[in-house]
């Protein structure tokens, strides 16, 4: 239950939230910069831990609802407290994380430990005052958005109006207001009248970072639909359809599975979006629907292994992807605790490994290489010796700095770029 | 034949995954099950293609012998017959290679169209798949009919081998999913097959040829339908040995049976409906003749009936 299932930086990058399979949320905080220390940027230490979701049972359908946190999204900070949305398969919760570093002392009727004093022993009155105390971080659920999804929620996305957000399951996308928990609007519904005609499901959805009327959703068929909420209340009809024609030479039994999009992310400037399918990362210009402007192969050497990956279920792994703050580099995970970064401007890419054995703390990461076939050079790893149980599905990039958070199965690695 | 084995293996793995998803914590995941069912359909298509291919070729052999008997009673040029027997040697492997090559030179455009329509039907819902197959078969009949008057000489060869070869070629391109080496083996044989056909100097009575063509085509389509419904529910191996033509080696049938019977016990009641339907089908068809084109339609409907409960069982949520 310690398996990390989502990683997300907040808008300033000071806080990093992780969700796990056991329904827990752990928040890390960056220490303030300390000029006397060697590294100029602070380390991340645990700030708060709380149980967000519990396992539930749907008695009507005799189904257990997993408590695994599927996604966390931070709200922009408006006051001293921090707010985040966390969701499992069925329920979204809004959490308020607040600090308490003072407490009132000097009550008349209560002792300091909380016991009530006998009123007859009170001889004088005093005014309680706030005294400093050890910092305590409290998380309290402020809203619970439940019972709106028949299928499993795969995405949540906060709108740029900071008042609404969307939640998407396999067949529907709902629009919520952050203050209203008993109602949501259904804005996309792709459920066919006859379930036997089902051919595709929604795999991810996200609001545009600047335009509060625009959102996209990706499908299991490898298409992305951009919708404008101003056009109609129900956005079943898309405004734009992004689809790349399939390369017929690559057809196999598993073509449909590997074309299914596992993640979609807008760039920070809102001009591009990135999609991740099983073998590649594609960057799309929002103005061109016919094909992506850039395609990066993450682990093309797996194309010949699709049958074994199907047997061991790895072909169903949903990798996420992320942009850096300036939209110049994109990052995504792979197997064997490898993760890949693609520099769009310099047309360079690198494979790095997140593991304790391969690198000591504060050591510079060594680039790795996978040997697809033929002679294996020194320091290369052959495809057959990759560990498919060690997968990096979730990665996040600090919104301003070059600090990345990479989640292996049980551990979270935080890397920063080396400063002079 | 190796894609048949591979396809069968993938089908059983897929069914196992669907079964396991029922007992997984958190309920059935729609996305994963949809993807698994897509793989299952692809594997099934390839499996059926392999099956049709072997069935058609065996049917061809059967008809080749039948025509020899017929022609001995007619005043036809014997050179054609000689050419035909030459292209159907006793070795089935060579037949496999040469027969598809016969119409190759004249029919590439039609082949591509059929392959595309076949691809489209493959991507659509399961029920639509079977209907498209049936339509493709009918299109084939009309195509051959159109082609025949315009071809007097050339690689199009004898009418008997033409239509079934056309169907075999129609099926073969879909095996691009499988290993490529089998396809590559064909071109060298193509030349041999075409050359042999050319040497026949075929000039014949078109009307007679057309009638024979239609009969053979419809019969082969019927054979195709019947074999599709036999192969479609892999969960009912009991029916296969009973109705299968002599084509499939007994070793293969045994392998199919043991794998699939264990799957039946796993799935239990979900598929008992399918089994009972197969029982009634087998009895109904025992008396059908191969040349009855009406049986083709009945078989098609029964295939459709079989498919629906199957998809319903899978998409139970």
């Amino acid at each position: 239950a310690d398996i990390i299932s989502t990683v997300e930086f907040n808008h300033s990058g000071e806080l990093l939230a992780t969700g796990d399979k056991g329904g827990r949320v752990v928040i890390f905080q960056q220490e303030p910069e300390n000029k006397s220390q060697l590294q100029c940027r602070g380390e991340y230490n645990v700030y708060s831990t709380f149980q967000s979701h519990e396992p539930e049972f749907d008695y009507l359908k005799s189904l257990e609802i997993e408590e695994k946190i599927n996604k966390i999204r931070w709200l922009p900070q408006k006051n001293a407290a921090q707010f985040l949305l966390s969701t499992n398969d069925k329920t979204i919760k809004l959490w308020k994380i607040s600090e308490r570093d003072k407490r009132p002392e000097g009550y008349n009727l209560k002792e300091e430990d909380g016991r009530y004093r006998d009123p007859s022993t009170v001889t004088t009155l005093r005014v309680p005052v706030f005294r400093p105390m050890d910092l305590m971080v409290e998380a309290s659920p402020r809203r619970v958005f439940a019972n709106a999804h028949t299928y499993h929620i795969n995405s949540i996305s906060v709108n740029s109006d900071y008042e609404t957000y969307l939640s998407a399951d396999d067949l529907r996308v709902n629009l919520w207001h952050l203050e209203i928990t008993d109602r949501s609007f259904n804005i996309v519904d792709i459920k066919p009248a006859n379930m036997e005609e089902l051919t595709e499901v929604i795999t991810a959805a996200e609001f545009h970072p600047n335009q509060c009327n625009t959102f996209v959703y990706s499908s299991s068929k490898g298409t992305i639909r951009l919708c404008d909420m101003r056009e109609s209340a129900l956005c079943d009809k898309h405004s734009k359809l992004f689809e790349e024609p399939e390369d017929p030479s690559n057809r196999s039994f598993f073509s449909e599975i590997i074309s299914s999009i596992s993640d979609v992310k807008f760039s920070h400037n809102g001009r591009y979006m990135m999609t991740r399918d099983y073998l590649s990362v594609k960057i799309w210009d929002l103005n061109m629907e016919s094909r992506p402007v850039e395609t990066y192969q993450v682990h093309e050497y797996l194309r010949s292994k699709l049958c074994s990956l199907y047997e061991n279920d790895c072909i169903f792994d949903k990798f996420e992807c992320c942009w850096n703050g300036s939209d110049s580099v994109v990052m995504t995970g792979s197997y064997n605790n490898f993760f890949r970064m693609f520099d769009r401007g310099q047309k360079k890419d690198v494979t790095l490994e997140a593991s304790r054995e391969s690198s000591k703390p504060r050591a510079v990461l060594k680039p790795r290489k996978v040997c697809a076939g033929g002679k294996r050079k020194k320091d290369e790893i052959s495809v057959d010796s990759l560990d498919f149980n060690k997968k990096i599905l979730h990665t996040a990039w600090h919104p301003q700095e070059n600090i990345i958070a990479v989640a292996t199965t049980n551990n979270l690695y935080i890397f920063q770029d080396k400063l002079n | 034949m190796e894609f048949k084995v591979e396809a069968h293996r993938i089908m059983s793995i897929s069914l196992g995954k669907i079964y396991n998803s029922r007992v997984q914590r958190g309920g059935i995941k729609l996305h994963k099950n949809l993807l698994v069912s897509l793989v299952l359909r692809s594997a099934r298509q390839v499996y059926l293609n392999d099956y049709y291919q072997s069935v058609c070729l065996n049917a061809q052999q059967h008809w080749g012998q039948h025509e020899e008997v017929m022609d001995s009673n007619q005043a036809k040029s014997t050179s054609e017959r000689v050419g035909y027997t030459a292209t159907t040697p006793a070795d089935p492997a060579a037949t496999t290679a040469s027969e598809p090559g016969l119409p190759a030179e004249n029919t590439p455009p039609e082949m591509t169209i059929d392959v595309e329509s076949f691809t489209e039907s493959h991507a659509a819902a399961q029920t639509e798949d079977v209907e498209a197959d049936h339509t493709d078969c009918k299109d084939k009949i009309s195509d051959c009919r159109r082609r025949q008057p315009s071809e007097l000489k050339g690689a199009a060869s004898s009418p008997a081998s033409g239509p079934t070869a056309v169907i075999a070629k129609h099926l073969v391109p879909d095996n691009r999913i499988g290993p490529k080496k089998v396809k590559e083996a064909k071109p060298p044989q193509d030349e041999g097959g075409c050359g042999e056909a050319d040497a026949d100097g075929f000039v014949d009575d078109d009307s007679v040829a057309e009638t024979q063509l239609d009969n053979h085509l419809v019969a082969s389509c019927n054979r195709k339908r019947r074999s599709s419904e036999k192969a479609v529910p892999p969960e009912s191996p009991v029916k296969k040995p009973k109705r299968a033509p002599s084509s499939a080696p007994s070793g293969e049938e045994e392998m199919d049976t043991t794998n699939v019977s264990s799957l039946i016990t796993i799935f239990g009641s979900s598929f008992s409906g399918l089994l009972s339907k197969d029982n009634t089908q087998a009895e109904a068809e025992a008396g059908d003749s191969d040349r009855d084109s009406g049986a083709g339609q009945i078989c098609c409907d029964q295939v459709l009936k079989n498919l629906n409960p199957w998809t319903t069982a899978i998409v139970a949520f």
Side-chain angles (χ1 to χ4, degrees), chain A residues 198-231:
Chain A
L198 180 73
T199 54
E200 65 179 331
V201 296
I202 297 172
T203 52
E206 198 181 49
F207 265 119
H208 191 279
N210 308 321
Q211 298 164 15
C212 57
N213 53 284
T214 307
F215 67 94
V216 291
Y217 67 93
S218 60
S219 83
S220 57
K221 270 192 177 168
T223 63
I224 309 103
R225 286 173 173 79
L226 185 140
C227 300
D228 187 336
M229 296 195 292
R230 297 172 299 188
E231 274 187 279

Side-chain angles (χ1 to χ4, degrees), chain A residues 168-188:
Chain A
D169 67 20
D170 290 322
L171 296 177
R172 300 193 176 96
V173 179
N174 291 336
L175 182 71
W176 301 84
H177 192 283
L178 284 165
E179 299 293 327
I180 300 168
T181 59
D182 60 353
R183 265 172 303 165
S184 74
F185 286 106
N186 175 246
I187 51 178
V188 174

